[in-house]
């Protein structure tokens, strides 16, 4: 049997690429175990970490003994409290599907342990507290003091007059604060840098997170941050006699502003690589550009969509088909009647999902399209249907059309029969 010359050339190209890839591959050298080189502190201290509500929190266990092959994470609201919860299945792993994690659920249903790190999906204010990495015997290696803050204010671009008024107000508050006798502590807002533009080629948005912190020389020595005199406002390092609560400090803030940047030029694949991809049948997904995810959800129930691979420090944007969903219009808290909104953790909420929400949703990460989510909304079996449901209206329309058609046929038959009876005697008489 003769083999076509085209197939022989493709096979030779595939063999050549395979040998070249094998010749250039080198097995990596054994890396040093970070847990063996980093000793755990003799006195357990807590790293202070502050986040916004609805963010996904990742807490790595930076140290552990070599003989410990799995870790157990413990949670305490107050240090030394007898109410201690173990956030694990005592096997070191707990896998949670983040797409099924709702808001306000129990902490046990919103965490996962991966490679000794604890992940908390859509963290809430009540999740603030102490997280300890240890073993089933109760030996602790590393600890975190987590402070989850709610954004009480979302600021958007303002005019020059508003900007001057805001600057004057800040100056007045600064003067009043300087005149007040507060020698124990000072409350301030620490802002993250502005994120990159969350879209390219079209108008996008930039976000900046501001968290509440306290500066004082009287903080608890068992808690540490980048500076020994600074801790977040909700941290246990702040003495209770300061009287700081979530109601009497400014809390967190989220800033949003418009931006527009050009898209980077697309990289052109080498001819031999492109030929190999076409031969293996991968040319169509490569041309599409982004992975596609499918999600089906029951109608009239809340739904939360997360962008795959997004982290708290990333700039994330959402598009409903070709229509961008800007935070200036769909940010949570701007309008209490909004059914579709984006929270501070970059999640897209449907409260609830309806049949009109079916379609494709695109999410952007760091200015690049990252994924396409094709959403399907279905009715549950056995559910009582209402006349306002689209299916009920469609069935009622079909029934009425059939009834009207049958009535028309019946009337037509009666008229034909009546006409035949009235015309037939006259024909017979003649």
């Amino acid at each position: 049997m003769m083999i076509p010359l085209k197939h022989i050339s493709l096979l030779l190209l595939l063999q050549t690429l395979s040998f070249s890839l094998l010749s250039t591959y080198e097995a990596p050298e054994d890396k040093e175990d970070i847990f063996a080189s980093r000793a755990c502190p003799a006195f357990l201290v807590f790293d202070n970490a502050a986040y916004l509500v609805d963010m996904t929190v990742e807490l790595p266990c930076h140290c552990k003994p070599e003989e410990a092959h799995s870790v157990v994470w413990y949670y305490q609201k107050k240090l030394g409290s007898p109410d201690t919860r173990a956030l694990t299945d005592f096997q070191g792993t707990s896998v949670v599907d983040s797409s099924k994690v709702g808001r306000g659920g129990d902490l046990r249903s919103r965490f996962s342990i991966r490679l000794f790190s604890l992940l908390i999906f859509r963290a809430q204010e009540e999740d603030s507290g102490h997280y300890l990495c240890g073993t089933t015997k109760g030996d602790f290696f590393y600890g975190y003091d987590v402070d989850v803050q709610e954004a009480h204010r979302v600021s958007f671009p303002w005019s020059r007059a508003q900007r001057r008024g805001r600057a004057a107000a800040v100056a007045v508050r600064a003067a009043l604060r300087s005149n007040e006798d507060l020698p124990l502590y000072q409350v301030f807002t620490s802002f993250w840098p502005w994120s990159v533009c969350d879209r390219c080629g079209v108008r996008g948005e930039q976000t900046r997170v501001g968290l509440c912190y306290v500066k004082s020389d009287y903080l608890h020595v068992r808690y540490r941050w980048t500076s020994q005199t600074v801790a977040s406002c909700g941290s246990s390092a702040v003495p209770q006699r300061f009287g700081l609560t979530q109601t009497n400090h400014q809390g967190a803030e989220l800033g949003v502003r418009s931006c527009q940047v050009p898209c980077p030029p697309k990289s052109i694949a080498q001819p031999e690589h492109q030929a190999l991809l076409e031969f293996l049948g991968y040319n169509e997904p490569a041309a599409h550009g982004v992975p596609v995810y499918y999600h089906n959800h029951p109608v009239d129930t809340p739904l939360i969509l997360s962008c795959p691979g997004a982290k708290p420090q990333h700039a994330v944007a959402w598009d409903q088909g070709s229509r961008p969903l800007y935070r200036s219009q769909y940010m949570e808290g701007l309008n209490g009647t909004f059914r579709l909104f984006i929270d501070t953790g970059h999640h897209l909420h449907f409260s609830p999902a309806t049949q009109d929400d079916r379609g494709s949703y695109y999410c952007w990460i760091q200015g690049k399209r990252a994924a396409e989510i094709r959403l399907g909304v279905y009715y549950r079996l056995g559910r009582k249907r209402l006349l306002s449901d689209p299916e009920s209206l469609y069935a009622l329309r079909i029934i009425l059309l059939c009834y009207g058609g049958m009535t028309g046929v019946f009337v037509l038959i009666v008229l034909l029969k009546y006409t035949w009876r009235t015309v037939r005697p006259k024909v017979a008489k003649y």
Side-chain angles (χ1 to χ4, degrees):
M1 181 179 64
M2 299 295 294
I3 301 177
L5 182 61
K6 180 180 179 180
H7 291 179
I8 294 176
S9 61
L10 288 175
L11 289 175
L12 290 176
L13 176 61
L14 178 61
Q15 185 178 7
T16 304
L17 289 175
S18 300
F19 282 129
S20 63
L21 291 174
L22 289 175
S23 62
T24 57
Y25 174 78
E26 294 181 2
E29 299 179 358
D30 293 336
K31 295 183 179 181
E32 184 181 2
D33 187 4
I34 59 173
F35 296 107
S37 60
R38 182 171 183 175
C40 295
F43 181 73
L44 184 63
V45 294
F46 296 90
D47 287 347
N48 180 224
Y51 299 89
L52 268 184
V53 168
D54 290 320
M55 282 186 172
T56 297
V57 178
E58 182 177 359
L59 305 177
C61 188
H62 287 299
C63 69
K64 70 175 184 64
E66 296 185 42
E67 59 273 11
H69 300 288
S70 62
V71 298
V72 179
W73 282 89
Y74 295 90
Y75 170 75
Q76 285 184 341
K77 188 67 176 178
K78 297 293 183 181
L79 189 61
S81 172
D83 184 17
T84 303
R85 288 182 284 174
L87 304 177
T88 185
D89 54 3
F90 294 100
Q91 298 297 328
T93 58
S94 179
V95 180
V96 176
D97 186 1
S98 60
S99 64
K100 297 181 180 178
V101 177
R103 184 185 260 185
D106 184 71
L107 179 59
R108 293 177 182 269
S109 63
R110 289 187 290 102
F111 81 94
S112 177
I113 298 178
R114 301 174 185 174
L115 296 177
F116 310 115
S117 297
L118 178 66
L119 279 79
I120 305 174
F121 301 103
R122 300 187 182 97
Q124 302 298 310
E125 281 187 287
E126 53 270 18
D127 297 334
S128 301
H130 300 82
Y131 292 84
L132 302 97
C133 175
T135 62
T136 56
K137 298 179 182 180
D139 300 328
F140 301 137
F141 316 134
Y142 210 83
Y144 288 92
D145 173 36
V146 177
D147 178 22
V148 183
Q149 302 179 9
E150 183 177 359
H152 296 294
R153 183 172 64 251
V154 180
S155 58
F156 294 93
W158 49 81
S159 63
R160 294 182 178 179
Q162 292 174 330
R163 190 178 305 168
R164 289 193 297 267
R166 179 182 171 92
V170 171
V172 171
R173 287 199 299 269
L176 292 177
R177 182 169 294 178
S178 61
N179 294 330
E180 293 176 356
D181 185 15
L182 296 176
L184 296 180
Y185 64 91
Q186 180 183 2
V187 180
F188 65 95
T189 301
S190 176
F191 287 94
W192 296 3
W194 283 102
S195 68
V196 299
C197 198
D198 57 12
R199 292 178 179 86
C200 70
V202 296
R203 187 177 71 86
E205 292 176 332
Q206 291 178 282
T207 58
R208 184 177 67 166
V209 176
L211 299 174
C212 179
Y213 285 91
V214 176
K215 183 177 181 181
S216 176
D217 295 329
Y218 302 96
L219 302 179
H220 201 291
V221 295
R222 200 169 186 177
Y223 301 87
R224 59 185 181 186
W225 198 55
T226 54
S227 174
Q228 295 296 332
T229 60
V230 175
S232 60
C233 292
S235 171
S236 297
V238 181
Q240 295 183 358
R241 61 192 181 99
F242 285 3
L244 275 181
T245 61
Q246 296 180 352
T247 58
N248 62 4
H249 63 73
Q250 63 266 37
E253 180 180 348
L254 180 66
V256 182
R257 68 182 183 184
S258 298
C259 61
Q260 188 166 357
V261 296
C263 291
K266 295 183 180 180
S267 59
I268 302 176
Q270 298 181 1
E272 56 271 14
H273 292 172
Q274 187 67 25
L276 178 60
L277 291 175
E278 292 180 359
F279 176 74
L280 297 176
Y282 289 107
N283 54 336
E284 184 176 355
H288 192 273
V290 295
V292 181
Y293 299 86
Y294 296 87
H295 184 79
N296 293 320
H297 191 76
V299 72
D300 294 333
T301 55
L303 171 63
I304 305 175
L305 293 182
S306 301
C307 190
K311 295 184 178 180
Q313 66 273 17
H314 285 165
V316 180
W318 288 93
D319 293 344
Q320 186 179 23
S322 59
R323 181 169 65 95
L325 302 177
Y326 293 111
R327 288 179 177 82
S328 55
Q329 300 174 353
Y330 292 93
M331 191 68 199
E332 180 182 11
L334 294 181
N335 190 340
T337 61
F338 269 5
R339 185 187 57 84
L340 181 67
F341 61 89
I342 302 173
D343 63 21
T344 54
H346 313 307
H347 305 108
L348 184 62
H349 290 249
F350 301 82
S351 299
T354 63
Q355 284 287 321
D356 296 335
D357 296 327
R358 292 179 298 180
S360 296
Y361 293 83
Y362 298 92
C363 68
W364 302 64
I365 297 180
Q366 297 295 93
K368 298 179 181 179
R369 270 192 176 180
E372 176 187 357
I373 302 176
R374 297 182 181 177
L375 177 63
V377 182
Y378 63 91
Y379 286 97
R380 293 179 177 177
L381 295 177
R383 186 186 67 90
K384 293 183 178 180
R385 300 187 182 276
L386 302 175
L387 289 177
S388 58
D389 293 341
E391 283 80 3
S392 300
L393 295 176
Y394 178 77
L396 185 61
R397 189 181 300 110
I398 295 298
I399 292 174
L400 292 177
L401 289 176
C402 293
Y403 179 77
M406 294 174 64
T407 303
V409 172
F410 176 75
V411 172
L412 182 61
I413 293 174
V414 171
L415 290 177
L416 290 176
K417 188 175 181 180
Y418 176 76
T419 304
W420 174 256
R421 286 183 178 180
T422 55
V423 173
R424 184 179 179 183
K426 296 180 180 179
V427 173
K429 184 181 296 184
Y430 290 108

